[in-house]
Coordinates of all heavy atoms in Angstrom, one line a residue:
G1 N 11.7 -0.1 -1.7 CA 10.8 0.8 -2.3 C 9.8 1.3 -1.4 O 9.6 0.8 -0.2
D2 N 9.0 2.3 -1.8 CA 8.0 2.9 -1.0 C 6.7 2.1 -1.2 O 6.2 1.9 -2.2 CB 7.7 4.3 -1.6 CG 6.8 5.1 -0.8 OD1 6.0 4.6 0.0 OD2 6.7 6.3 -1.1
A3 N 6.2 1.6 0.0 CA 5.0 0.8 0.0 C 3.7 1.5 -0.5 O 2.7 0.9 -0.8 CB 4.8 0.2 1.4
E4 N 3.8 2.9 -0.4 CA 2.6 3.6 -0.9 C 2.5 3.6 -2.4 O 1.5 3.7 -3.0 CB 2.7 5.1 -0.4 CG 2.5 5.2 1.1 CD 2.4 6.6 1.5 OE1 1.4 7.3 1.2 OE2 3.4 7.1 2.2
R5 N 3.7 3.4 -3.0 CA 3.8 3.3 -4.5 C 4.7 2.1 -4.8 O 5.8 2.4 -5.2 CB 4.3 4.6 -5.1 CG 3.3 5.8 -5.1 CD 3.8 7.1 -5.5 NE 4.9 7.6 -4.8 CZ 4.7 8.2 -3.5 NH1 3.5 8.2 -3.0 NH2 5.7 8.7 -2.8
P6 N 4.2 0.9 -4.6 CA 5.1 -0.2 -4.7 C 5.7 -0.4 -6.1 O 5.0 -0.3 -7.0 CB 4.3 -1.4 -4.3 CG 3.1 -0.9 -3.7 CD 2.9 0.5 -4.2
P7 N 7.1 -0.6 -6.1 CA 7.7 -0.8 -7.4 C 7.5 -2.2 -7.9 O 8.5 -2.9 -8.2 CB 9.1 -0.4 -7.1 CG 9.3 -0.9 -5.7 CD 8.0 -0.6 -5.0
L8 N 6.3 -2.7 -8.1 CA 6.0 -4.0 -8.5 C 5.1 -4.1 -9.7 O 4.4 -3.1 -10.0 CB 5.3 -4.8 -7.3 CG 6.1 -4.7 -6.0 CD1 5.2 -5.4 -4.9 CD2 7.4 -5.5 -6.1
R9 N 5.1 -5.2 -10.3 CA 4.3 -5.3 -11.6 C 2.8 -5.4 -11.2 O 2.4 -6.3 -10.4 CB 4.8 -6.7 -12.2 CG 4.1 -6.9 -13.6 CD 4.7 -8.1 -14.2 NE 4.7 -9.3 -13.2 CZ 4.0 -10.4 -13.3 NH1 3.2 -10.6 -14.4 NH2 4.0 -11.3 -12.4
P10 N 2.0 -4.6 -11.9 CA 0.5 -4.7 -11.6 C 0.0 -6.1 -12.0 O 0.5 -6.7 -13.0 CB -0.1 -3.6 -12.6 CG 1.1 -2.7 -12.8 CD 2.3 -3.5 -12.8
G11 N -0.9 -6.6 -11.3 CA -1.6 -7.9 -11.6 C -0.7 -9.1 -11.2 O -1.1 -10.2 -11.6
G12 N 0.4 -8.9 -10.5 CA 1.3 -10.0 -10.3 C 1.2 -10.8 -9.0 O 1.9 -11.7 -8.8
F13 N 0.2 -10.5 -8.2 CA 0.1 -11.0 -6.9 C -1.3 -11.6 -6.6 O -2.3 -11.0 -7.0 CB 0.5 -10.1 -5.8 CG 2.0 -9.7 -6.0 CD1 2.3 -8.6 -6.8 CD2 3.0 -10.5 -5.4 CE1 3.6 -8.2 -7.0 CE2 4.3 -10.1 -5.6 CZ 4.6 -9.0 -6.4
D14 N -1.4 -12.7 -5.9 CA -2.6 -13.3 -5.5 C -3.1 -12.7 -4.2 O -4.2 -12.7 -3.8 CB -2.5 -14.8 -5.3 CG -2.0 -15.5 -6.6 OD1 -2.6 -15.3 -7.6 OD2 -0.9 -16.1 -6.5
L15 N -2.1 -12.2 -3.4 CA -2.4 -11.6 -2.1 C -1.4 -10.4 -1.8 O -0.2 -10.6 -2.1 CB -2.2 -12.7 -1.0 CG -2.3 -12.3 0.4 CD1 -3.8 -11.8 0.8 CD2 -2.0 -13.4 1.4
V16 N -2.0 -9.3 -1.4 CA -1.2 -8.2 -0.9 C -1.5 -8.0 0.5 O -2.7 -7.9 0.9 CB -1.5 -6.9 -1.7 CG1 -0.8 -5.7 -1.2 CG2 -1.1 -7.2 -3.2
V17 N -0.5 -8.0 1.4 CA -0.7 -7.7 2.8 C 0.1 -6.5 3.2 O 1.2 -6.2 2.7 CB -0.2 -8.9 3.6 CG1 -1.2 -10.1 3.4 CG2 1.2 -9.3 3.4
A18 N -0.5 -5.8 4.2 CA 0.2 -4.6 4.8 C -0.1 -4.7 6.3 O -0.7 -3.8 6.8 CB -0.3 -3.4 4.1
A19 N 0.3 -5.7 6.9 CA -0.1 -6.1 8.2 C 0.1 -5.0 9.3 O -0.8 -4.8 10.1 CB 0.6 -7.4 8.7
T20 N 1.2 -4.4 9.4 CA 1.4 -3.4 10.4 C 1.8 -2.0 9.8 O 2.2 -1.2 10.5 CB 2.5 -3.8 11.4 OG1 3.7 -4.0 10.7 CG2 2.1 -5.1 12.1
L21 N 1.6 -1.9 8.5 CA 2.1 -0.7 7.8 C 1.1 0.5 7.8 O 1.6 1.6 8.0 CB 2.3 -1.1 6.3 CG 2.6 0.0 5.4 CD1 4.0 0.6 5.7 CD2 2.6 -0.5 4.0
V22 N -0.1 0.2 7.7 CA -1.1 1.4 7.5 C -0.9 2.5 8.5 O -0.9 3.7 8.2 CB -2.5 0.8 7.4 CG1 -3.5 2.0 7.4 CG2 -2.7 -0.1 6.2
R23 N -0.8 2.1 9.8 CA -0.7 3.1 10.8 C 0.5 4.0 10.8 O 0.6 5.1 11.3 CB -0.8 2.5 12.2 CG 0.4 1.7 12.5 CD 0.3 1.1 13.9 NE 1.5 0.2 14.1 CZ 1.4 -0.9 14.8 NH1 0.3 -1.3 15.3 NH2 2.5 -1.6 14.9
H24 N 1.5 3.6 10.0 CA 2.7 4.3 9.8 C 2.8 5.2 8.6 O 3.8 6.0 8.4 CB 4.0 3.3 9.7 CG 4.1 2.5 11.0 ND1 4.5 3.1 12.2 CD2 3.9 1.2 11.3 CE1 4.5 2.1 13.2 NE2 4.2 1.0 12.5
L25 N 1.8 5.1 7.7 CA 1.9 5.9 6.5 C 1.5 7.3 6.7 O 0.5 7.6 7.3 CB 0.9 5.3 5.4 CG 1.3 3.9 5.0 CD1 0.2 3.4 4.0 CD2 2.7 3.8 4.3
P26 N 2.2 8.3 6.1 CA 1.8 9.7 6.2 C 0.5 9.9 5.6 O -0.2 10.8 6.1 CB 3.0 10.4 5.4 CG 4.1 9.5 5.4 CD 3.5 8.1 5.5
A27 N 0.2 9.2 4.6 CA -1.2 9.4 3.9 C -2.3 9.2 4.8 O -3.4 9.7 4.7 CB -1.3 8.5 2.7
V28 N -2.2 8.3 5.8 CA -3.2 8.0 6.8 C -3.5 9.2 7.6 O -4.7 9.6 7.8 CB -2.8 6.8 7.7 CG1 -3.8 6.6 8.8 CG2 -2.7 5.5 6.9
A29 N -2.5 9.9 8.0 CA -2.7 11.2 8.8 C -3.5 12.2 7.9 O -4.2 13.1 8.4 CB -1.4 11.7 9.2
E30 N -3.3 12.1 6.6 CA -4.0 13.1 5.7 C -5.4 12.6 5.3 O -6.0 13.2 4.4 CB -3.1 13.3 4.4 CG -1.8 13.9 4.7 CD -0.8 13.7 3.6 OE1 -1.2 13.3 2.4 OE2 0.4 14.0 3.8
G31 N -5.8 11.4 5.8 CA -7.1 10.9 5.5 C -7.2 10.0 4.3 O -8.3 9.7 3.9
S32 N -6.1 9.5 3.8 CA -6.2 8.5 2.7 C -5.2 7.5 2.8 O -4.1 7.6 3.5 CB -6.0 9.3 1.4 OG -4.7 9.7 1.2
V33 N -5.4 6.4 2.2 CA -4.5 5.2 2.2 C -4.4 4.9 0.7 O -5.3 5.0 -0.1 CB -5.1 4.1 3.0 CG1 -4.2 2.8 2.9 CG2 -5.2 4.5 4.5
P34 N -3.2 4.4 0.2 CA -3.1 4.1 -1.2 C -3.7 2.8 -1.7 O -3.0 2.0 -2.3 CB -1.5 4.1 -1.3 CG -1.0 3.6 0.1 CD -2.0 4.2 1.1
W35 N -5.0 2.7 -1.4 CA -5.6 1.4 -1.7 C -5.5 1.1 -3.2 O -5.3 0.0 -3.6 CB -7.1 1.5 -1.4 CG -7.4 1.7 0.0 CD1 -8.1 2.8 0.5 CD2 -7.0 1.0 1.2 NE1 -8.2 2.7 1.9 CE2 -7.5 1.6 2.3 CE3 -6.3 -0.2 1.4 CZ2 -7.3 1.1 3.6 CZ3 -6.1 -0.7 2.7 CH2 -6.6 0.0 3.8
R36 N -5.7 2.1 -4.1 CA -5.7 1.9 -5.5 C -4.4 1.3 -6.0 O -4.4 0.3 -6.7 CB -6.0 3.2 -6.2 CG -5.9 3.2 -7.8 CD -6.8 2.2 -8.5 NE -8.1 2.0 -8.0 CZ -8.7 0.8 -8.2 NH1 -8.1 -0.2 -8.9 NH2 -9.9 0.6 -7.7
A37 N -3.3 1.8 -5.5 CA -2.0 1.3 -5.9 C -1.8 -0.1 -5.4 O -1.2 -1.0 -6.2 CB -0.8 2.1 -5.3
W38 N -2.3 -0.5 -4.3 CA -2.3 -1.8 -3.8 C -3.2 -2.7 -4.6 O -2.8 -3.8 -4.9 CB -2.6 -1.8 -2.3 CG -1.6 -1.1 -1.5 CD1 -0.4 -0.5 -1.9 CD2 -1.7 -0.8 -0.1 NE1 0.2 0.2 -0.8 CE2 -0.6 0.0 0.3 CE3 -2.7 -1.1 0.9 CZ2 -0.4 0.5 1.6 CZ3 -2.5 -0.6 2.2 CH2 -1.4 0.2 2.5
L39 N -4.4 -2.3 -4.8 CA -5.3 -3.2 -5.6 C -4.8 -3.4 -7.0 O -5.1 -4.5 -7.5 CB -6.7 -2.5 -5.6 CG -7.5 -2.4 -4.3 CD1 -8.7 -1.5 -4.4 CD2 -7.8 -3.8 -3.8

């Protein structure tokens, strides 16, 4: 799935990591990162 919109259950994780992902996201070039979806 797309890590910008993870196909996962909300509230299901104690830890979310994106160790080397952020620099590869198209959204970063546009000035945003999908923090809300991850939170």
Side-chain angles (χ1 to χ4, degrees):
D2 185 349
E4 289 186 73
R5 290 175 292 289
L8 305 174
R9 182 176 53 113
F13 296 91
D14 304 304
L15 175 63
V16 172
V17 294
T20 61
L21 172 68
V22 174
R23 67 178 178 218
H24 298 290
L25 296 176
V28 173
E30 298 165 10
S32 70
V33 176
W35 304 119
R36 174 60 32 213
W38 297 352
L39 291 171

